[in-house]
Amino acid sequence: MEKFTAFKEIPLPTNLAKYTFNIAAPGMNNDGKSVTYTEPMNTVYGAGRTVGDAVAYKNAAFKIDKMGTRTREGDTWVHVTSVDQTAAKLNGWILYKGLSQAEDPLSGTAVRIDLVNSSGQLIKYIDYQKPNAQSGKTLGLSYSDDGTEVWLLGALDQQKLQDNIRDALKGTGYSLETLSASQTGYLAEATVGGKISLTAAQADSIPNDAVQINIINQTDGVIGSFNYTKPGASAGQSLAATDNGTTGLSSDDQNAIQADIKTALKSTGYSLNALSSSQLEQLANAQFGNSVYLKTTTKTTDISDNAVRINFVDPSTKKIVTSIDYTNTDADDPAPKGSDLGVQSGNNWTLRSEDNTAITNEAITALDGTGYSLTDNKLSDADLATIGAAKFGSSVSINVSADNAQATTN
């Protein structure tokens, strides 16, 4: 009879050995992740915990030098060795999920962003280095709106941070695919040389016979997502097909995906009607059980019934610099097409305070990195009158100057 093996060591990934870890929730619980063990739990008779309570070692840093799985439970255990000899008594085995990545010293020219779960446990962290950043300065900018300080993060910073966060969370089981307005405002207040945290949610699992296709906008936030499934496909298999010796995305897959993209982007204000050659290559190389990201910055020619499209135009060239679709998001009482965005008093139009603030914020963010901006980060009275007179389901244009001169309306 073959002897039963309760634990089997597996090769330690080389990238895992370079990181430093803490025990995420040190304590006295006999749960496999609060303290370390002389051997993985229930694998060797008589083996037990290295210490009774690990709370005193909450800041102790460890390196992983071995890894394995328990046969019955199928869970992963790692052997850790203390970086500091004062915690050497904790050298032993612990559940891999009981560890959190330890942090390196803060840089004076970066903002550290801890990515944590809903319990506050550190998943990963990133150090965001903004060009020409100075210690003590903020990532974003602020302006006063009727005595209230409003913080905004530029579109370029949003894009870079979104990419960094997405890359950091790969393989962790967590995701933060789209930064919300409150999160970008929070990031804008972050101080160079300091630290903040963002909460990531548990990622949806991707079926083994599906490729998750995400559509991202100019700041790389996900605006539409769907699983493209093929019966019989297996995890790790590429979406590409070979036809007459040529490997690529089949016409059937291309047509089906294009139709799914159209559905996913419905009511978003964006379109992706023709996949580029590089996007077709992305899809062909995509593997089942994984995700792919396709970018579009193209706004639809159709404007949603409950939106006003605001185009920011260079008056000298008459070209649109950028545009935003300002949407009435009240699901219970959406603005009907043709209704007024603003309020009229006699012959004068203006915006409600909350609309003024929201549109100003969106405008500043959208104009970041374009070489154009609103003077003093505000819409002029003429701008407010033009936008206020706009009808939902239509568009208006605002002229902006590259030299930061006062914006004027068409």
Side-chain angles (χ1 to χ4, degrees):
M1 178 182 295
E2 185 177 349
K3 184 179 179 181
F4 178 77
T5 302
F7 182 78
K8 181 180 179 182
E9 281 198 39
I10 58 178
L12 179 67
T14 54
N15 65 328
L16 197 61
K18 68 181 182 181
Y19 296 122
T20 305
F21 296 86
N22 302 126
I23 299 176
M28 62 178 67
N29 294 329
N30 193 26
D31 56 5
K33 55 186 181 181
S34 298
V35 297
T36 53
Y37 296 75
T38 56
E39 300 289 344
M41 279 180 67
N42 304 323
T43 61
V44 176
Y45 179 76
R49 291 179 281 184
T50 58
V51 296
D53 187 346
V55 168
Y57 301 94
K58 63 180 180 179
N59 295 319
F62 299 89
K63 291 282 191 180
I64 296 175
D65 52 21
K66 296 179 188 177
M67 174 178 279
T69 57
R70 291 195 296 180
T71 306
R72 286 194 180 93
E73 296 84 352
D75 49 15
T76 301
W77 283 68
V78 291
H79 186 273
V80 296
T81 302
S82 173
V83 173
D84 186 342
Q85 284 302 307
T86 60
K89 63 173 64 178
L90 264 74
N91 293 352
W93 292 89
I94 190 170
L95 277 167
Y96 179 50
K97 65 182 179 181
L99 299 177
S100 61
Q101 187 179 339
E103 298 188 35
D104 295 324
L106 280 167
S107 166
T109 58
V111 174
R112 174 158 297 169
I113 303 168
D114 284 344
L115 304 172
V116 301
N117 62 19
S118 58
S119 300
Q121 180 181 345
L122 179 69
I123 306 165
K124 284 287 185 74
Y125 70 87
I126 61 173
D127 285 344
Y128 180 63
Q129 191 92 35
K130 184 171 181 173
N132 303 315
Q134 298 179 6
S135 182
K137 300 293 185 180
T138 57
L139 273 187
L141 55 86
S142 67
Y143 71 94
S144 178
D145 179 33
D146 293 333
T148 300
E149 191 172 30
V150 179
W151 285 90
L152 297 174
L153 186 67
L156 292 179
D157 285 322
Q158 282 192 42
Q159 179 185 4
K160 292 176 183 178
L161 281 164
Q162 184 70 74
D163 292 344
N164 289 351
I165 290 168
R166 185 173 292 136
D167 288 343
L169 291 175
K170 281 180 181 176
T172 65
Y174 291 87
S175 68
L176 180 53
E177 293 288 9
T178 308
L179 292 168
S180 67
S182 61
Q183 287 172 325
T184 57
Y186 178 53
L187 286 165
E189 290 188 75
T191 303
V192 176
K195 183 170 75 167
I196 63 170
S197 64
L198 293 175
T199 302
Q202 284 194 309
D204 294 330
S205 60
I206 304 172
N208 289 337
D209 62 349
V211 173
Q212 186 184 77
I213 299 176
N214 302 290
I215 316 299
I216 58 177
N217 60 13
Q218 60 266 34
T219 58
D220 289 357
V222 173
I223 53 175
S225 182
F226 60 91
N227 285 340
Y228 183 65
T229 305
K230 292 193 77 171
S234 57
Q237 176 186 343
S238 67
L239 187 52
T242 302
D243 184 21
N244 295 326
T246 302
T247 301
L249 195 66
S250 72
S251 57
D252 287 344
D253 284 332
Q254 185 175 337
N255 292 335
I257 289 171
Q258 191 73 70
D260 287 342
I261 289 173
K262 184 177 181 180
T263 300
L265 292 181
K266 186 178 180 181
S267 301
T268 65
Y270 290 85
S271 66
L272 182 54
N273 297 325
L275 294 165
S276 67
S277 57
S278 61
Q279 288 173 330
L280 290 172
E281 185 177 357
Q282 273 184 270
L283 288 166
N285 293 329
Q287 295 182 337
F288 287 96
N290 289 301
S291 57
V292 65
Y293 296 84
L294 306 176
K295 190 164 188 171
T296 181
T297 57
T298 304
K299 293 292 185 72
T300 59
T301 53
D302 296 332
I303 302 171
S304 298
D305 290 351
N306 65 332
V308 172
R309 178 161 299 164
I310 304 172
N311 299 313
F312 299 95
V313 178
D314 182 328
S316 62
T317 63
K318 304 301 181 185
K319 290 183 178 180
I320 296 174
V321 176
T322 189
S323 63
I324 62 174
D325 281 2
Y326 182 64
T327 307
N328 175 291
T329 56
D330 188 346
D332 296 326
D333 186 24
K337 184 175 183 178
S339 60
D340 300 324
L341 170 56
V343 291
Q344 186 177 22
S345 177
N347 294 323
N348 299 319
W349 286 90
T350 189
L351 287 173
R352 298 172 183 85
S353 176
E354 61 270 23
D355 290 325
N356 183 2
T357 298
I359 292 172
T360 300
N361 292 354
E362 290 188 32
I364 293 171
T365 299
L367 288 167
D368 177 59
T370 65
Y372 298 80
S373 62
L374 302 175
T375 299
D376 297 327
N377 298 315
K378 293 181 180 180
L379 294 165
S380 68
D381 290 342
D383 295 336
L384 295 174
T386 297
I387 299 171
K391 307 289 185 184
F392 280 99
S394 67
S395 65
V396 294
S397 294
I398 300 295
N399 287 349
V400 289
S401 299
D403 61 358
N404 294 334
Q406 175 64 46
T408 59
T409 55
N410 281 348

